[in-house]
Amino acid sequence: MASKTNKASLDAMKQLEKVEEQFQTIQILNEEGEVVNEAAMPELSDEQLQELMKRMVYTRILDQRSISLNRQGRLGFYAPTAGQEASQLASQFALEKEDFILPGYRDVPQMIWHGLPLSQAFLWSRGHLKGGDIPEGVNVISPQIIIGAQYVQAAGVALGMKKRGQKAVAITYTGDGGTSQGDFYEGINFAGAYKAPAIFIIQNNQFAISTPREKQTAAKTLAQKAVAAGIPGVVVDGMDPLAVYAAVREARERAVNGEGPTLIETMTYRYGPHTMAGDDPTRYRTSDLDNEWEKKDPLVRFRKFLEKKGIWNEEMENETIEKAKEDIKVAIKEADNTPKQKVTDLISIMYEELPQNLVEQNAIYKEKESK
Amino acid sequence: MAQMTMIQAITDALRTELRNDPNVLIFGEDVGVNGGVFRATEGLQQEFGEDRVFDTPLAESGIGGLAVGLSLQGFRPVPEIQFFGFVYEVMDSISGQLARMRYRSGGRYNAPVTIRSPFGGGVHTPEMHADSLEGLMAQQPGLKVVIPSTPYDAKGLLISAIRDNDPVIFLEHMKLYRSFRQEVPEGEYTIPLGKAEVKREGSDLSIITYGAMVHESIKAAEELEKEGFSVEVVDLRTVSPLDIDTIIASVEKTGRAIVVQEAQKSAGVAANVVAEINDRAILSLEAPVLRVAAPDTVFAFPEAESVWLPNVQDIIETSKKVLNF
């Protein structure tokens, strides 16, 4: 016997469509640098707007220099950031110093603007233990390598802040691929269940190495995954610094008011390869797609916006570029001058107190290193 | 002093540390109102409130991540993994994150986390509940792996584990939870991590073991004594890092040794103990060092469990091979 048509299933489809319709991409500044959503405009002074622009220009230079330093063999692991400046820097710009950042490996710029010395960022890239030795008072942890692990940890940091009664948030970053991990769901679910002050950012740069966004999930947006965790989710134009800033600022407001976490998807693009370790984006992306996204460039639209306001000019731009180049030069020198790390250094940081096996191994390596 | 089972001694240790340090937090699946599936956290939520002792959503990786994050905020988390067979779900948090926190941050951050979890055979659990996975943990640098064999040791070791500034995996053998009572002092006392204890002195053979096998080994030693053999039983108590000095001192005294573990034979803790003896005391040996362990299959289905698990008879047979070599 054929079963009867199940009318409930039709309703389920409608329900899904209704949910998905709610997740429209929020934009404040369009590609021409025009404000298209006056109501959502965040409150930012001219100085703050200039500062955010400086950071984006500076970080674009840092990316270019890092790539060439990597090619010269003077930097280690590096994941290029160009294209993602609005997502990365405007989200960090919306934070306060007491907020804690749990970055992914492409999120070194946010750490730097949160207080990590540039020389340490370089040391981390080179694989020196000093790179992860975060200075006191800088609320970041070194970049997570395991995709998604930072999401469950962010729930823990946020719960800790809540228990301590702090008016602060934990913010963490992953990419479009990261939303497929179990830890992604566990992180947003735990934070939701505990109403913990966390902000979960998905920088949807369209490709997880080579795998396109549409192969990760049937979900129309990644932000809608918030619905299942019972927390607010929002999609923003990740090439629009004002939209990113506004979304994170609002999420932060909610979080410190005890209203729990928010999931934010920023629609963005990395212009470069996944990392400098041999990835070739031409194997999985067309130049047409690259060009389409480069037209949305965050620096271009923000520059237009600020120039129209009369608060940015070529001189300021050049000053920022020169400052970045000088800082990088100094920081690389600092990294070069850092004592080379030894196996005995590594042994010494395994435990608070060394067990017998490591005491013995330490003696062996001390002997080797003295030769 | 009170007579306590191991589970009572564990609850007592947790209560002692919740009182002692406001940063101690206990969480896991069903640890709150329900007091844990074995009642290890019985009454603790009522006494210390939901802020200190709380239930988590049912997700082990989330529990591990929570522990990492809370430790970054200066807490001293004591999460429970309901059964250690579920550890695979939280392996990244343990091996990929907690064990590396001090190292990865150049010593800036540490992870004073104690993960408690029941394990061990002989209680006819469904699959993935009873496996002895301490060897897996012992292979991860940065962790300490503790397995108590008595109520007294359980309390003193657990207090030390919670106070330790490095991550500790604290494994509680299910068969020992309520199998016997022992005098356990009120209030706080500690037993150092990384220190073995000679549980029974002897001069002809050293049995080096830990967990539930300590009791099987003592029974075997008593049987062997009737036949005129004097057998020493060394309880490792911490399987990583090993207390090499105590092992070697015993072997040098007796000249003969076997290593007994409930886990499968290959790799693992017993193999490591044999290797250390080989490295350091081979000239003191009168016979090869043999192992008693479970066969290298997946943990036995309950109907074959009693034969699969190493028992007193297995220990006596292997002891005799070494004694009569």
Side-chain angles (χ1 to χ4, degrees):
Chain A
M1 281 253 304
S3 62
K4 284 184 188 167
T5 308
N6 186 349
K7 283 193 175 152
S9 72
L10 300 175
D11 292 338
M13 271 316 288
K14 267 194 201 128
Q15 191 171 295
L16 175 63
E17 282 162 18
K18 232 164 105 184
V19 168
E20 290 191 322
E21 271 169 29
Q22 302 299 312
F23 286 84
Q24 300 294 327
T25 305
I26 294 163
Q27 187 183 61
I28 293 176
L29 210 56
N30 70 12
E31 291 169 27
E32 299 310 314
E34 297 155 351
V35 175
V36 293
N37 190 349
E38 195 68 56
M41 246 326 249
E43 276 178 41
L44 284 166
S45 67
D46 286 355
E47 290 72 29
Q48 284 177 306
L49 292 169
Q50 286 167 331
E51 176 61 21
L52 181 52
M53 183 66 194
K54 277 183 196 167
R55 291 182 181 195
M56 295 208 296
V57 171
Y58 188 111
T59 305
R60 180 69 61 88
I61 297 299
L62 174 61
D63 185 58
Q64 290 166 359
R65 292 292 300 138
S66 297
I67 288 169
S68 71
L69 285 164
N70 172 282
R71 289 194 175 125
Q72 294 161 26
R74 299 185 66 197
L75 213 56
F77 174 82
Y78 185 70
T81 59
Q84 296 189 205
E85 289 88 351
S87 288
Q88 296 184 324
L89 305 181
S91 59
Q92 189 281 327
F93 200 60
L95 303 179
E96 303 295 335
K97 199 172 161 42
E98 57 269 28
D99 297 336
F100 196 103
I101 301 179
L102 296 100
Y105 46 73
R106 203 180 306 283
D107 303 313
V108 176
Q110 296 97 300
M111 300 172 71
I112 293 167
W113 292 112
H114 213 58
L116 181 76
L118 194 50
S119 58
Q120 280 194 265
F122 291 150
L123 286 169
W124 180 78
S125 164
R126 287 179 177 182
H128 191 294
L129 68 90
K130 279 281 154 215
D133 187 359
I134 309 295
E136 204 69 48
V138 178
N139 291 317
V140 302
I141 188 163
S142 54
Q144 184 54 250
I145 299 301
I146 300 300
I147 306 288
Q150 67 271 39
Y151 260 54
V152 286
Q153 294 172 12
V157 172
L159 180 60
M161 288 169 160
K162 186 178 174 178
K163 286 187 184 297
R164 298 265 188 236
Q166 289 173 22
K167 291 270 176 210
V169 301
I171 186 168
T172 187
Y173 296 84
T174 192
D176 36 314
T179 65
S180 300
Q181 285 279 13
D183 274 356
F184 169 85
Y185 296 95
E186 293 187 28
I188 62 173
N189 188 57
F190 270 60
Y194 293 126
K195 265 196 184 306
I199 301 173
F200 297 100
I201 308 271
I202 306 159
Q203 296 187 76
N204 175 359
N205 67 12
Q206 317 302 324
F207 291 86
I209 303 189
S210 69
T211 307
R213 152 65 185 87
E214 60 271 20
K215 289 201 175 147
Q216 292 294 341
T217 174
K220 209 167 156 192
T221 68
L222 303 174
Q224 76 194 53
K225 295 182 180 218
V227 175
I231 68 171
V234 60
V235 189
V236 297
D237 179 348
M239 308 301 261
D240 170 2
L242 295 182
V244 173
Y245 179 89
V248 175
R249 199 67 201 164
E250 207 180 287
R252 191 185 183 280
E253 202 67 27
R254 267 197 303 276
V256 297
N257 287 334
E259 292 168 59
T262 302
L263 180 65
I264 300 170
E265 176 184 6
T266 67
M267 300 295 285
T268 185
Y269 200 74
R270 67 167 150 81
Y271 299 158
H274 166 64
T275 69
M276 294 304 294
D279 178 49
D280 173 10
T282 65
R283 293 172 68 92
Y284 53 85
R285 295 193 316 213
T286 64
S287 56
D288 283 353
L289 188 65
D290 290 350
N291 293 337
E292 197 185 300
W293 277 94
E294 280 176 31
K295 278 189 209 135
K296 302 177 200 277
D297 189 80
L299 275 68
V300 170
R301 76 171 77 173
F302 205 44
R303 188 181 292 118
K304 280 183 185 164
F305 170 66
L306 296 186
E307 280 173 356
K308 260 182 267 176
K309 277 178 83 80
I311 58 170
W312 191 256
N313 55 41
E314 214 180 316
E315 197 190 324
M316 293 167 84
E317 178 110 8
N318 288 335
E319 248 172 50
T320 307
I321 292 170
E322 288 316 308
K323 167 104 172 73
K325 286 182 177 167
E326 185 53 32
D327 285 358
I328 293 162
K329 216 188 289 172
V330 172
I332 277 288
K333 196 163 271 168
E334 270 177 57
D336 288 345
N337 291 338
T338 305
K340 234 183 134 200
Q341 98 191 330
K342 297 178 295 206
V343 173
T344 47
D345 297 332
L346 304 182
I347 288 174
S348 75
I349 52 170
M350 279 310 303
Y351 293 92
E352 186 172 50
E353 205 178 316
L354 288 191
Q356 191 177 346
N357 56 331
L358 283 174
V359 169
E360 291 173 6
Q361 290 158 22
N362 197 47
I364 294 166
Y365 279 87
K366 213 168 176 179
E367 170 78 18
K368 284 187 193 214
E369 285 164 359
S370 70
K371 280 173 192 163
Chain B
M1 276 207 283
Q3 288 278 326
M4 287 190 199
T5 59
M6 188 190 273
I7 196 86
Q8 288 169 331
I10 286 165
T11 311
D12 197 38
L14 295 172
R15 184 180 293 112
T16 303
E17 286 313 278
L18 280 164
R19 279 188 191 147
N20 177 56
D21 182 352
N23 288 318
V24 170
L25 300 175
I26 291 175
F27 51 92
E29 295 154 8
D30 311 300
V31 304
V33 172
N34 197 40
V37 292
F38 288 101
R39 309 289 175 258
T41 53
E42 177 84 6
L44 298 181
Q45 190 178 66
Q46 286 91 318
E47 187 175 343
F48 296 95
E50 222 183 314
D51 194 48
R52 307 278 311 280
V53 181
F54 53 96
D55 288 322
T56 62
L58 203 167
E60 286 77 18
S61 187
I63 292 169
L66 214 59
V68 176
L70 286 165
S71 69
L72 286 170
Q73 287 295 302
F75 287 98
R76 202 166 274 278
V78 188
E80 176 179 299
I81 297 300
Q82 198 160 59
F83 290 93
F84 206 56
F86 309 167
V87 72
Y88 299 106
E89 295 288 331
V90 61
M91 274 304 285
D92 178 57
S93 283
I94 294 175
S95 288
Q97 312 295 332
L98 288 169
R100 294 161 195 253
M101 185 62 78
R102 187 182 290 280
Y103 181 83
R104 184 181 286 158
S105 66
R108 163 79 167 83
Y109 297 120
N110 61 330
V113 175
T114 300
I115 296 182
R116 292 181 39 253
S117 191
F119 81 108
V123 288
H124 301 303
T125 58
E127 211 190 340
M128 305 298 292
H129 284 62
D131 296 49
S132 288
L133 301 172
E134 65 277 7
L136 196 64
M137 296 293 114
Q139 206 180 350
Q140 177 59 53
L143 298 178
K144 295 179 181 177
V145 187
V146 176
I147 304 181
S149 67
T150 67
Y152 177 86
D153 283 358
K155 180 173 171 185
L157 287 166
L158 183 52
I159 291 176
S160 293
I162 294 171
R163 293 181 185 179
D164 200 277
N165 285 330
D166 287 305
V168 179
I169 308 297
F170 192 88
L171 299 174
E172 304 164 1
H173 200 291
M174 283 184 271
K175 208 177 168 188
L176 299 181
Y177 267 156
R178 293 184 171 84
S179 61
F180 69 101
R181 286 171 190 273
Q182 189 184 25
E183 291 283 312
V184 175
E186 316 264 333
E188 53 183 276
Y189 67 93
T190 57
I191 294 172
L193 306 186
K195 292 280 174 242
E197 187 185 48
V198 176
K199 282 280 195 284
R200 185 185 196 276
E201 292 209 29
S203 54
D204 296 332
L205 169 75
S206 302
I207 301 181
I208 295 145
T209 186
Y210 56 94
M213 286 298 134
V214 169
H215 303 285
E216 300 302 300
S217 298
I218 289 172
K219 279 183 219 158
E222 284 162 359
E223 288 301 312
L224 288 161
E225 191 167 2
K226 291 175 193 161
E227 299 179 38
F229 298 110
S230 167
V231 177
E232 179 147 306
V233 177
V234 178
D235 178 1
L236 291 174
R237 300 197 295 198
T238 300
V239 299
S240 179
L242 281 177
D243 179 0
I244 296 164
D245 289 344
T246 301
I247 297 168
I248 299 305
S250 178
V251 173
E252 282 176 346
K253 180 172 79 173
T254 62
R256 297 173 198 267
I258 67 166
V259 190
V260 181
Q261 70 176 18
E262 185 177 312
Q264 292 89 335
K265 190 170 191 177
S266 294
V269 173
N272 195 25
V273 172
V274 174
E276 291 293 350
I277 295 170
N278 180 57
D279 281 357
R280 295 160 197 271
I282 199 151
L283 295 177
S284 304
L285 291 174
E286 307 284 342
V289 181
L290 299 185
R291 284 172 287 167
V292 178
D296 290 321
T297 72
V298 167
F299 191 94
F301 289 119
E303 287 205 9
E305 198 174 350
S306 61
V307 181
W308 188 87
L309 288 166
N311 57 34
V312 177
Q313 212 43 51
D314 299 328
I315 299 168
I316 291 171
E317 277 169 27
T318 304
S319 296
K320 281 187 177 166
K321 275 189 207 162
V322 173
L323 285 162
N324 298 323
F325 182 79

